[in-house]
């Protein structure tokens, strides 16, 4: 029996939760304020848990030196029925759409762009970073924190930081780790879905 649909879908569209525009969150941080940028990512992850609209992860693409937020996003896996709709992928994609380029590298921008993420990237998001064009990745919680909450982070190599460094991408992890990890812990304890296959 053939279960193939008679008409194949030819369009993919992913959206952030409805609360995102209404949330009274100011997407601002002082130039060079790494902790301030991370606080925004953690606040997004917390809001996604509070609104029960997805996993406990938030991410932004920013110009650290100027304090400019290019894009901000949360995990939308469940809401969008899309396993690749992680916060990092959403933030990178929105930045590319905003700047009208698939390459966020300095040769296309006046200032290097940084991915700020409330948790270290899983195997998929780690794999997407080199092709995005960002020049720095700043993480809050660790892979261990995510796995302690029950999430499957995939087969990311132990050399993941060196691998990104070798491609000219700086990595800093553990920024406000305790605050970021608490969102993961609270999510797990809330009984919301741990969406591993």
């Amino acid at each position: 029996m053939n279960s193939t649909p008679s008409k194949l879908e030819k369009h993919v569209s992913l959206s952030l939760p409805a609360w995102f525009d209404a949330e009274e969150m100011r997407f601002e941080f002082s130039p060079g304020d790494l902790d301030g940028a991370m606080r925004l990512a953690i606040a997004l992850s917390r809001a996604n848990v509070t609104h029960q609209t997805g996993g406990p992860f938030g991410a932004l693409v920013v110009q650290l030196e100027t304090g400019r937020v290019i894009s901000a996003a949360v995990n939308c896996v469940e809401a969008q029925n899309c396993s690749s709709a992680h916060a990092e992928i959403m933030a990178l994609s929105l930045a590319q759409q905003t700047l009208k380029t698939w390459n966020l590298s300095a040769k296309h921008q006046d200032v290097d762009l940084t991915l700020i993420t409330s948790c270290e990237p899983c195997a998929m998001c780690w794999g997407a970073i080199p092709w995005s064009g960002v020049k720095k990745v700043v993480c809050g919680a660790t892979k261990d924190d995510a796995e302690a909450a029950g999430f499957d982070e995939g087969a990311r190599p132990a050399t993941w930081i060196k691998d990104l460094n070798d491609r000219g991408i700086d990595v800093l992890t553990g920024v406000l780790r305790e605050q970021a990890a608490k969102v993961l812990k609270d999510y797990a304890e809330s009984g919301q879905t741990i969406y591993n296959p």
Side-chain angles (χ1 to χ4, degrees), residues 80-113:
Q80 296 296 310
N81 296 311
C82 181
S83 62
S84 63
H86 288 201
E88 298 96 323
I89 300 293
M90 296 290 288
L92 290 170
S93 299
L94 285 166
Q96 291 162 340
Q97 293 294 301
T98 297
L99 298 175
K100 299 186 181 349
T101 178
W102 56 269
N103 186 349
L104 301 175
S105 70
K107 66 183 175 185
H108 294 284
Q109 305 302 319
D110 55 349
V111 178
D112 286 343
L113 298 183

Side-chain angles (χ1 to χ4, degrees), residues 7 27 42 52 64 66 99 131 140 180 189 192:
K7 185 175 181 182
F27 293 106
I42 295 169
Q52 298 187 353
L64 272 176
T66 65
L99 298 175
W131 289 283
E189 291 176 352
Q192 294 185 55

Side-chain angles (χ1 to χ4, degrees), residues 77-184:
V77 168
E78 284 189 280
Q80 296 296 310
N81 296 311
C82 181
S83 62
S84 63
H86 288 201
E88 298 96 323
I89 300 293
M90 296 290 288
L92 290 170
S93 299
L94 285 166
Q96 291 162 340
Q97 293 294 301
T98 297
L99 298 175
K100 299 186 181 349
T101 178
W102 56 269
N103 186 349
L104 301 175
S105 70
K107 66 183 175 185
H108 294 284
Q109 305 302 319
D110 55 349
V111 178
D112 286 343
L113 298 183
T114 298
L115 174 65
I116 307 285
T117 176
S118 65
C119 186
E120 290 177 353
C122 68
M124 176 184 68
C125 296
W126 168 76
I129 289 168
W131 289 283
S132 71
V134 295
K135 293 299 180 184
K136 186 168 188 169
V137 179
V138 179
C139 313
T142 66
K143 177 182 182 196
D144 289 343
D145 297 326
E147 290 178 342
F151 288 98
D152 180 355
E153 295 298 280
R156 189 187 71 191
T159 58
W160 72 278
I161 292 177
K162 180 185 182 302
D163 294 342
L164 290 178
N165 290 164
D166 288 348
R167 288 176 170 263
I169 302 168
D170 293 331
V171 178
L172 179 61
T173 189
V175 176
L176 302 183
R177 177 183 177 184
E178 186 176 333
Q179 295 95 313
K182 186 169 187 336
V183 179
L184 298 171

Side-chain angles (χ1 to χ4, degrees), residues 11-82:
H11 178 67
V12 174
S13 178
L14 299 175
S15 302
L16 292 172
W19 61 261
F20 204 90
D21 287 333
E23 189 76 12
E24 292 184 14
M25 183 180 299
R26 298 180 68 183
F27 293 106
E28 297 176 356
F29 64 97
S30 299
D33 183 4
L34 200 60
D35 285 359
M38 182 57 70
R39 275 191 286 274
L40 285 174
I42 295 169
L44 284 169
S45 69
R46 172 70 65 193
N48 213 30
V49 173
T50 301
H51 289 281
Q52 298 187 353
T53 49
F57 305 96
L60 308 102
V61 174
V62 305
Q63 290 179 335
L64 272 176
E65 297 85 349
T66 65
R68 179 184 175 201
V69 176
I70 307 297
S71 67
V74 292
N75 177 287
C76 297
V77 168
E78 284 189 280
Q80 296 296 310
N81 296 311
C82 181

